[in-house]
Amino acid sequence: MNKKLGLLFIFCASVFAACQNETESSTVNSVLSEESSSVAAEFEESVAKTIIFSSGVTDGITRGDKYNYFALEGTAEGFDQVTTLIEGTAVDYRETNNVWEFDYPYQGPGIETEITFTTDASVSYGDTGINLDDLAPESYVTITFMPNENPTITPPAFTVNEGEAQNFLSDDSGINELVTVTEIREIDGLEDLNPLGEKLLEVEIQYVNNGTVDTYIAPNYFLALDGEGKSLPLRYTHFWLHTVAPGESFTEKAYFDLTSEGPYAIQFFDGAWIDSEEEGGTVNDL
């Protein structure tokens, strides 16, 4: 009997020791994990960013001015250009000058938006599906754009019916562009575009280069305005970039989030096409 009790005691002691070792091991692993996370966080904070904003950004925030533009200045020492990313898409870029400075005046969307600036040379204007985790931590900085909720609205330069053409001319530069917004319509939100709401504004655009030089066109060359003249957010998840040689043309679609009601206007540079029955001019000198 005593022998059995002795064996039972040894077994219980073994189980207790194993449990204690497992608990200690779990505690050690937890501590190591926390220390590792802490070290990683400290490393992230200590990484010297290659982009430093000198104006226009405070505590990681840039704000829309009275026209809902934001303007910032920065330095990117030793790098040829700074590329701008929204929704994983390279939507624009700025070349740096001899003292590595760059500036960025831009009309922001009418919603709070995260905007990333990067010097990573693997990123090219027009790229989509960019994952920030694939970029070197020191190569980019993300800031938040806070829109002006009540911007000063500049009236469109021209108003034409849907389907009518608008001609942009510049004799000095050889530019002669014929742009037609062939259709403006509300559609159900497309899941692939990750819309903010249930509806999108789909805008079909036909572009013809009648000039003597190449032109470069992307959807963010266009603005969609609501019935009050405020800009609608562009869906950068549907991004195209065309180099258009003289005599060439294309037809594409741009998508905007419907955050307010129409009638909707589509602006291209300083011209505009409005979904209405008003008549207006058809030629705009750049």
Side-chain angles (χ1 to χ4, degrees):
M1 183 71 174
N2 289 339
K3 184 176 181 181
K4 289 183 179 179
L5 287 175
L7 291 173
L8 179 62
F9 174 78
I10 293 172
F11 174 76
C12 291
S14 300
V15 170
F16 175 77
C19 291
Q20 188 175 26
N21 288 337
E22 183 177 348
T23 301
E24 290 176 353
S25 177
S26 176
T27 302
V28 169
N29 288 338
S30 177
V31 170
L32 289 176
S33 177
E34 290 177 3
E35 289 180 351
S36 177
S37 298
S38 176
V39 169
E42 290 177 3
F43 171 76
E44 179 68 22
E45 291 178 359
S46 67
V47 168
K49 298 292 185 181
T50 59
I51 295 175
I52 300 174
F53 297 112
S54 53
S55 68
V57 179
T58 303
D59 296 329
I61 294 175
T62 185
R63 299 182 184 276
D65 65 10
K66 68 177 183 177
Y67 299 107
N68 204 39
Y69 276 73
F70 68 86
L72 55 83
E73 295 180 352
T75 60
E77 186 169 351
F79 294 88
D80 295 329
Q81 76 177 41
V82 173
T83 305
T84 310
L85 311 179
I86 299 179
E87 296 179 358
T89 298
V91 303
D92 210 340
Y93 67 92
R94 291 291 185 274
E95 294 181 352
T96 57
N97 60 24
N98 292 334
V99 291
W100 307 287
E101 294 177 347
F102 70 94
D103 58 77
Y104 199 86
Y106 187 73
Q107 183 173 14
I111 58 171
E112 181 178 326
T113 306
E114 286 195 346
I115 303 173
T116 297
F117 297 87
T118 182
T119 57
D120 194 304
S122 67
V123 175
S124 299
Y125 175 38
D127 287 349
T128 60
I130 300 168
N131 188 340
L132 296 183
D133 292 338
D134 295 334
L135 307 181
E138 72 277 6
S139 72
Y140 68 89
V141 177
T142 299
I143 63 175
T144 299
F145 167 69
M146 299 297 293
N148 184 333
E149 298 295 341
N150 297 291
T152 299
I153 305 299
T154 303
F158 289 89
T159 302
V160 299
N161 294 325
E162 181 181 69
E164 292 182 350
Q166 179 76 46
N167 202 35
F168 294 87
L169 302 171
S170 177
D171 294 334
D172 293 339
S173 64
I175 291 176
N176 186 342
E177 303 169 309
L178 187 66
V179 183
T180 307
V181 174
T182 57
E183 188 173 26
I184 303 173
R185 66 189 186 107
E186 294 185 18
I187 65 169
D188 291 334
L190 302 174
E191 186 177 351
D192 291 346
L193 301 188
N194 193 28
L196 296 177
E198 296 180 355
K199 295 285 186 178
L200 288 170
L201 190 70
E202 182 183 72
V203 179
E204 187 174 77
I205 301 159
Q206 183 186 73
Y207 178 92
V208 181
N209 184 359
N210 290 323
T212 58
V213 295
D214 288 354
T215 53
Y216 307 89
I217 308 297
N220 58 338
Y221 284 42
F222 297 83
L223 291 177
L225 309 178
D226 65 15
E228 297 181 354
K230 297 179 180 179
S231 62
L232 299 176
L234 175 68
R235 284 285 88 203
Y236 289 103
T237 43
H238 180 78
F239 196 87
W240 39 265
L241 176 64
H242 289 296
T243 301
V244 192
E248 291 187 350
S249 64
F250 68 84
T251 299
E252 283 281 9
K253 292 178 180 178
Y255 294 91
F256 301 84
D257 284 301
L258 285 178
T259 55
S260 49
E261 297 182 352
Y264 306 107
I266 308 301
Q267 288 188 316
F268 175 66
F269 294 108
D270 58 340
W273 301 265
I274 292 185
D275 186 17
S276 71
E277 295 181 354
E278 299 179 25
E279 294 183 359
T282 58
V283 176
N284 182 26
D285 293 324
L286 294 174

